[in-house]
Amino acid sequence: MNIQHFEQLFQSKIDKEIKIESKDWMPEAYRKTNIRQISQHAHSEIVGMLPEGNWISRAPSLKRKAILIAKVQDEAGHGLYLYSAAETLGMSREEMIADLNSGKAKYSSIFNYPSLTWADMGAIGWLVDGAAILNQVMLCRTSYGPYARALVRICKEESFHQRQGFETLLVLSKGTEEQKAMCQDAINRWWWPSLMMFGPKDSESTNNDQSMKWKIKRKTNDELRQQFVDMAAEQVKVLGMALPDDKLKWNPTTKHYNWGEINWDEFWAVVKGNGPCNKQRLAARNKAHNDGAWVREAANAYAVKKAKAQAAKEALEAA
Ligand code: FAQ
């Protein structure tokens, strides 16, 4: 059998909705695309803990603090499932983390914006988790089995995150004039960066076509972005707030909202490392990694000790 034959068999499995598993034959580019996307996704979950971690010590009540800690802890868990899924494709976690810490690997642009007020915790939950869910519900049906399965649990947790964010904003939106203003300000600052989470326009996306053919992605960046605008434009009415887009208008012909233009220069600047917090985020990740060196060392020393004891026990039993 030649390579074309393997490729045909592979594509026919995809077309028949049969999941690809780690030991199955796959084109090298399929493996690389999945490693790229899954590891970027894992990094996003890990770096994504930073803007919210900033508010754990300043949450307005014990209840809010407990909820926020639980949410941030969930993001850590998502990162770990995703690193494990990416490892099944042959790249080690150490290599992925080294790429994140050196600035070589990408993570979502959204986490390079600062969280300035308590209302930002609500806006992140409602908008950032909201955008993440739309994308990730689609990814539960992605063609690579370990990634699809990891996403099922992640989505359940993300939907709790989104509801807690919306509820946080709902409370503020019914509060004092100052709280209402804080709520609107957070929506204003997080709206456009949330739309950027879906990636460049389809016409600029380098990976869309191939990833759609391989069913890694099931919807394009623009399709998901429009779905998000349609959803948020309705939900914002419940808050009695506004989205910061004077072009936002229901279009009865397309049955979708029309909306304005993303600042793509800003998007690419953030993706290339020049957003408001890129340097701060990488510095925080590097510090955490270095500070944790003794824990990794101790865990390794314990594993070696345990393996030696087990080997000695087995030798004794065999004698
Ligand atoms: N930021 O060809 P495309 C979360 C890159 S998780 C930075 O269209 P693709 C949970 C892209 O990698 C949020 N870079 O790419 C949470 C590619 O670069 P490369 C993360 C971006 O992969 C909530 C280049 O631009 N979610 O929020 C961005 O087909 C709250 C060309 O783009 C995922 O990662 C961006 N926004 O489509 C945690 C989901 N957009 O490597 C804490 C999985 C694009 O070719 C708190 N990922 N780029 O040089 C995906 O679905 C896809 O990777 C897309 C991009 C849709 C993000």
Side-chain angles (χ1 to χ4, degrees):
M1 283 208 286
N2 59 24
I3 188 99
Q4 279 93 345
H5 193 80
F6 278 113
E7 277 172 0
Q8 272 166 11
L9 278 177
F10 174 82
Q11 189 61 47
S12 77
K13 264 170 117 177
I14 303 257
D15 295 341
K16 284 187 213 146
E17 302 290 336
I18 299 171
K19 292 273 180 257
I20 306 300
E21 299 299 336
S22 61
K23 288 188 178 159
D24 294 348
W25 185 91
M26 61 184 85
E28 208 35 42
Y30 178 86
R31 179 188 303 279
K32 284 200 178 126
T33 297
N34 267 294
I35 291 179
R36 177 187 65 79
Q37 180 168 322
I38 303 170
S39 62
Q40 283 177 3
H41 191 166
H43 299 327
S44 302
E45 300 281 355
I46 297 299
V47 179
M49 290 193 283
L50 294 169
E52 291 174 301
N54 186 32
W55 280 89
I56 288 175
S57 60
R58 285 178 273 167
S61 68
L62 182 60
K63 184 177 146 204
R64 293 286 178 196
K65 192 193 286 268
I67 294 171
L68 190 58
I69 290 174
K71 180 183 189 287
V72 173
Q73 197 168 289
D74 283 351
E75 313 297 359
H78 298 173
L80 299 187
Y81 313 149
L82 291 165
Y83 282 129
S84 299
E87 278 186 308
T88 62
L89 290 160
M91 186 173 190
S92 73
R93 190 175 301 200
E94 287 74 21
E95 282 173 277
M96 289 184 261
I97 290 174
D99 284 353
L100 170 67
N101 290 350
S102 70
K104 184 176 163 203
K106 291 191 173 77
Y107 58 86
S108 183
S109 50
I110 191 75
F111 301 115
N112 293 305
Y113 290 85
S115 49
L116 302 178
T117 70
W118 171 250
D120 288 23
M121 298 304 97
I124 291 176
W126 175 42
L127 296 173
V128 177
D129 284 281
I133 293 174
L134 281 186
N135 172 277
Q136 291 170 5
V137 164
M138 161 194 86
L139 289 173
C140 288
R141 295 188 298 118
T142 194
S143 57
Y144 187 56
Y147 191 26
R149 291 189 287 273
L151 259 308
V152 174
R153 178 155 175 190
I154 292 178
C155 280
K156 287 190 180 148
E157 293 175 351
E158 297 288 21
S159 83
F160 149 69
H161 297 173
Q162 191 200 18
R163 274 175 282 162
Q164 73 79 33
F166 191 77
E167 194 266 345
T168 299
L169 291 185
L170 197 58
V171 169
L172 291 173
S173 73
K174 292 184 177 7
T176 62
E177 286 311 309
E178 207 181 349
Q179 285 171 322
K180 286 181 191 165
M182 194 163 79
C183 179
Q184 182 62 60
D185 168 66
I187 294 171
N188 291 350
R189 283 183 291 103
W190 288 92
W191 173 245
W192 291 103
S194 298
L195 292 182
M196 295 175 194
M197 285 175 73
F198 296 95
K201 313 191 234 218
D202 292 352
S203 55
E204 311 274 315
S205 164
T206 37
N207 301 291
N208 247 352
D209 291 349
Q210 186 60 71
S211 288
M212 293 287 285
K213 191 166 172 238
W214 280 332
K215 297 187 181 169
I216 295 175
K217 285 163 108 171
R218 301 271 180 159
K219 290 184 182 175
T220 70
N221 301 358
D222 287 339
E223 281 168 349
L224 282 173
R225 196 168 7 245
Q226 182 65 53
Q227 201 180 330
F228 179 68
V229 172
D230 291 344
M231 187 188 81
E234 290 300 317
Q235 291 178 344
V236 78
K237 293 179 192 166
V238 180
L239 294 174
M241 298 282 142
L243 295 175
D245 180 352
D246 54 15
K247 296 211 169 61
L248 190 76
K249 193 166 183 270
W250 176 249
N251 181 331
T253 314
T254 61
K255 304 240 180 305
H256 290 292
Y257 275 87
N258 291 344
W259 51 283
E261 183 66 20
I262 288 174
N263 180 344
W264 292 111
D265 291 341
E266 176 183 322
F267 170 73
W268 289 115
V270 178
V271 171
K272 288 182 182 147
N274 300 315
C277 299
N278 294 59
K279 291 183 182 58
Q280 196 181 322
R281 300 293 184 235
L282 273 196
R285 285 313 315 152
N286 276 290
K287 181 174 183 309
H289 188 74
N290 296 337
D291 288 352
W294 70 272
V295 180
R296 291 190 296 278
E297 230 171 82
N300 281 337
Y302 179 69
V304 170
K305 196 171 142 189
K306 219 173 144 194
K308 270 191 195 156
Q310 180 65 21
K313 193 177 158 218
E314 278 167 12
L316 206 66
E317 280 166 3

